[in-house]
Amino acid sequence: MAALKTDMGIDLGTASILVYAKGKGIVLNEPSVVAIDQNTKQFLAVGEEARKMLGRTPGNIIAMRPLRDGVISDYEVTEKMLKYFIQKAIGKSFFKPRIIVCVPSGVTEVEKRAVVEASTQAGAKKTYLIEEPIAAAIGAGIDITQPNGNMVVDIGGGTTDVAVISLGGMVVSRSIKVAGDECDDAIIRYIRKKHNVMIGERSAEELKMKIGTAYKRDKDITMEIRGRNLVTGLPKTIIVSSEEILEALEEPITNIVDTVHAVLERTPPELAADIGNTGIVMTGGGALLYGLDKLIFERTGIPTRIADDPIECVAIGTGKALDWVDVLDNSIVGEESIGGRY
């Protein structure tokens, strides 16, 4: 009977949702986007299928992200979306799964409760919470139980979490609502201002992923993008260079680097010395932005590396934390969190 039970770890991200099933690894990785018919309130598409509809729907259909800045902005839609992903990940099961959900380190008690309730309503037997930097560190292969200082910079879609971890807990941490989505918005604003062309979220994300940079490249690269001319109202094709994207991303990237600096300033001397030796580990999709690790190293003087699988790092860490669920179940009753205060 125990073999029929499926405990799950969910990385509930602003941009995408990853589901880790115990004994199977990551079984689902889809955008956290939902398409809804506004007239009937019916779900038309979820995940990748819904993402393709962003900015392309008729008046009665809305493609939306129910999570904003790492927290739930539309409770009902998030609950239905979670239910869909849970069922898709484990199929039909007689047993309700125990679920660990990942949340940003700076979330409030109200936001935590919203996540727990949404997970429970979506079909969880019991919900635990784990804070993103802890999950990211576990997923990156760091032994967080040791009395050594480890620094993790997790850059997701809605939030950037920076934390110093020692003895299984966060000693110093800070979460800011500047991450991948803010970088996309900065690119949209820049293209509109410089080229007088309006582009959508998907086009901005494509620019960021293909030619985006946080550090001056040795060789400038370009990319062709289509948008709407704000003067004529007609479609227009423009060529954008990586140098322009570097300029566009200056403000959000500076905010992220300043946050890393601020956390280091508040770190106890002994742990700061450890971090100087072990370096900074970057996780999350934002860690893949070209040159961001070089920029952090240049500003802090501390070696900075990108985790082996930065996008799946948090989900893998959340999944590995499932091994602690049985211990928690024996000692704690109710809604709990792992690796953080709740």
Side-chain angles (χ1 to χ4, degrees):
M1 294 284 277
L4 295 173
K5 290 197 286 186
T6 307
D7 291 336
M8 301 168 73
I10 298 178
D11 176 10
L12 192 63
T14 307
S16 57
I17 289 182
L18 286 84
V19 178
Y20 183 106
K22 194 170 184 179
K24 295 178 184 176
I26 291 174
V27 292
L28 188 142
N29 180 356
E30 291 206 35
S32 45
V33 183
V34 178
I36 302 170
D37 187 322
Q38 286 186 301
N39 299 334
T40 62
K41 301 297 179 189
Q42 185 183 351
F43 269 41
L44 301 176
V46 182
E48 184 58 45
E49 200 179 327
R51 191 182 76 89
K52 292 174 183 173
M53 299 181 185
L54 278 173
R56 295 177 172 173
T57 56
N60 65 312
I61 297 171
I62 180 169
M64 63 177 290
R65 288 178 171 179
L67 293 127
R68 214 68 191 151
D69 299 328
V71 294
I72 295 172
S73 61
D74 190 313
Y75 178 81
E76 285 184 19
V77 176
T78 302
E79 181 196 311
K80 287 180 182 176
M81 181 176 73
L82 265 176
K83 195 170 189 176
Y84 171 85
F85 283 134
I86 290 168
Q87 287 175 349
K88 187 174 180 180
I90 63 172
K92 290 182 179 178
S93 175
F94 293 108
F95 297 95
K96 287 186 174 183
R98 290 176 298 182
I99 294 176
I100 300 181
V101 184
C102 202
V103 293
S105 58
V107 295
T108 63
E109 295 300 318
V110 173
E111 289 164 346
K112 284 182 180 180
R113 192 160 293 281
V115 172
V116 170
E117 286 177 4
S119 174
T120 305
Q121 290 298 318
K125 177 186 176 185
K126 190 174 285 188
T127 301
Y128 304 86
L129 301 179
I130 182 169
E131 289 172 312
E132 274 178 24
I134 297 284
I138 296 169
I142 297 169
D143 185 353
I144 64 168
T145 61
Q146 296 299 312
N148 300 320
N150 292 288
M151 189 172 201
V152 175
V153 180
D154 179 55
I155 308 167
T159 60
T160 294
D161 288 87
V162 183
V164 174
I165 298 164
S166 179
L167 289 169
M170 291 190 295
V171 181
V172 186
S173 70
R174 193 170 170 194
S175 179
I176 58 167
K177 292 178 178 180
V178 177
D181 288 351
E182 186 62 35
C183 289
D184 294 343
D185 291 342
I187 291 170
I188 291 170
R189 289 194 301 270
Y190 181 87
I191 299 295
R192 185 174 60 204
K193 187 179 177 183
K194 184 164 182 185
H195 294 278
N196 230 3
V197 169
M198 190 70 187
I199 61 170
E201 282 180 36
R202 287 185 65 192
S203 298
E205 188 177 24
E206 204 177 336
L207 280 170
K208 179 184 70 180
M209 291 168 70
K210 291 187 176 175
I211 65 168
T213 179
Y215 196 86
K216 191 171 175 63
R217 288 178 183 260
D218 296 330
K219 187 181 177 184
D220 197 24
I221 56 173
T222 60
M223 180 178 160
E224 204 175 78
I225 202 85
R226 288 181 72 84
R228 176 166 53 84
N229 189 313
L230 291 171
V231 178
T232 64
L234 300 173
K236 184 180 179 182
T237 302
I238 56 170
I239 293 173
V240 183
S241 70
S242 57
E243 193 73 36
E244 288 178 295
I245 302 299
L246 175 63
E247 195 180 327
L249 295 178
E250 185 179 356
E251 189 180 332
I253 295 304
T254 300
N255 280 338
I256 291 170
V257 176
D258 286 349
T259 302
V260 174
H261 199 273
V263 170
L264 282 168
E265 282 181 337
R266 290 163 46 210
T267 303
E270 294 294 336
L271 296 180
D274 290 341
I275 294 164
N277 293 326
T278 58
I280 297 169
V281 178
M282 291 173 62
T283 64
L288 295 172
L289 181 66
Y290 177 88
L292 186 51
D293 53 336
K294 292 180 186 174
L295 184 65
I296 292 175
F297 172 61
E298 189 179 87
R299 297 279 179 88
T300 63
I302 297 172
T304 304
R305 69 177 177 90
I306 300 167
D308 292 339
D309 198 346
I311 293 173
E312 295 185 348
C313 226
V314 172
I316 291 168
T318 307
K320 285 182 178 176
L322 288 167
D323 295 335
W324 306 344
V325 167
D326 291 323
V327 179
L328 284 168
D329 259 355
N330 293 334
S331 57
I332 307 172
V333 180
E335 299 142 353
E336 301 88 17
S337 74
I338 300 172
R341 298 169 299 282
Y342 181 54

